[in-house]
Amino acid sequence: MAFLDEEFKKFIELDADRVKFIQKYLEGIGLNCPIIPIDGKNHLYVTFPKNQYNPLFKIKTVIAHYDRVPQTPGANDNSSSVYSFLRWAERLSVRTGTHNIRMIFTDGEELSSEGVASQGAFGLAKLFKRLGITNEDVFVFDCMGRGDVPVLTETVLPKNAPRAFVKDFCTLEERAESLIKTAAGGKWMKLPCNYSDNAGFIANGIPAVAFTMLPGQEIDAFLRASIKPLSWQKLHTMEDDFESLDEEAFEITARILDSLADLKTVRK
């Protein structure tokens, strides 16, 4: 697979130190990536030059979890998103002008079987709330390495959600839809998917949307006959490997990310 280099194979090795890999990659392009320890989870925060931020516009927080189910490659879930972010960080680091991107690699997404409060992003969202960072845009990327159709996760909001939160979420969702509508030549879907790190933010009253990718034929089978997408069947198994990925998914993801960097939303 020419679109993924040998370094990616090292990243998905079963004994890879994924934190060190991410930090070393970013150090190689002149970016620091300190660890933010929260509730026993080690999140990674990418620091870009201050002159790449404009206070007139909203900060766009982008999230990809770097953890994986133990003893699985995790090529799609979620190495695909992490590696797409790393390549994007390289483009952002030499970008002229502002981008207002806050990039975070989260820990503990795959260890949330005890409910959303045990998810790594829940503690991160609590920190956001404590710091008053509640009116920014949060975009979560999960399993972006297979398929030709970008998917926006269909979110069921809490029944008792405040009206202001619902309004802000719907506005964010509209921005997310516009981002992916052109990335794949007009092909996109909104589907019910498992929650990712967006769940922890929503539970803390912070609007967050999640993206994934799927092959069009798997979406058709899912809608027509409720057949679980093969891409989802491979998750958390040894079949979530290097060979399961495809180039087009990475190209579409790159276009979404670059469009996100260009997006400017004036602060209220």
Side-chain angles (χ1 to χ4, degrees), residues 237-257:
T237 74
M238 288 299 292
E239 291 186 50
D240 183 11
D241 57 13
F242 185 77
E243 286 71 24
S244 71
L245 307 178
D246 60 71
E247 183 172 9
E248 187 172 8
F250 284 83
E251 292 174 348
I252 293 170
T253 300
R255 288 197 289 271
I256 294 172
L257 294 173

Side-chain angles (χ1 to χ4, degrees), residues 110-162:
E110 298 290 4
L111 302 176
S112 54
S113 59
E114 296 178 7
V116 67
S118 68
Q119 186 185 60
F122 185 86
L124 181 63
K126 281 199 304 182
L127 175 62
F128 272 46
K129 195 171 183 179
R130 189 162 66 247
L131 295 174
I133 308 173
T134 57
N135 193 31
E136 306 290 2
D137 290 348
V138 179
F139 300 90
V140 175
F141 290 76
D142 205 345
C143 302
M144 301 297 293
R146 275 177 61 89
D148 57 343
V149 180
V151 174
L152 176 62
T153 295
E154 195 172 85
T155 303
V156 178
L157 298 179
K159 292 181 179 179
N160 60 345

Side-chain angles (χ1 to χ4, degrees), residues 46 51-52 58-59 78 88 115 183 202 223 243 251 254 265:
V46 184
N51 62 5
Q52 292 185 322
K58 279 191 173 188
I59 295 292
N78 191 28
W88 185 36
I202 290 171
L223 294 175
E243 286 71 24
E251 292 174 348
T265 305

Side-chain angles (χ1 to χ4, degrees), residues 7 10 17-33 44 86:
E7 288 299 301
K10 295 178 183 178
D17 186 329
R18 291 161 74 83
V19 171
K20 283 188 177 180
F21 183 100
I22 292 169
Q23 289 180 318
K24 183 178 179 182
Y25 188 107
L26 292 167
E27 286 171 4
I29 58 175
L31 296 174
N32 291 323
C33 185
L44 303 174
L86 292 175

Side-chain angles (χ1 to χ4, degrees), residues 65-136:
H65 73 87
Y66 70 83
D67 64 310
R68 54 183 170 170
V69 169
Q71 296 306 303
T72 67
N76 191 22
D77 186 16
N78 191 28
S79 303
S80 59
S81 303
V82 171
Y83 217 69
S84 291
F85 274 24
L86 292 175
R87 287 175 161 179
W88 185 36
E90 202 163 350
R91 299 195 296 277
L92 292 176
S93 68
V94 296
R95 179 186 174 99
T96 57
T98 61
H99 56 68
N100 278 33
I101 294 295
R102 179 192 289 123
M103 185 181 295
I104 302 175
F105 298 99
T106 58
D107 183 19
E109 195 271 352
E110 298 290 4
L111 302 176
S112 54
S113 59
E114 296 178 7
V116 67
S118 68
Q119 186 185 60
F122 185 86
L124 181 63
K126 281 199 304 182
L127 175 62
F128 272 46
K129 195 171 183 179
R130 189 162 66 247
L131 295 174
I133 308 173
T134 57
N135 193 31
E136 306 290 2

Side-chain angles (χ1 to χ4, degrees), residues 208-232:
V209 293
F211 299 118
T212 191
M213 289 285 301
L214 282 174
Q217 65 270 25
E218 293 183 16
I219 292 176
D220 291 342
F222 180 56
L223 294 175
R224 187 178 63 253
S226 298
I227 298 174
K228 185 177 181 180
L230 178 62
S231 297
W232 294 353

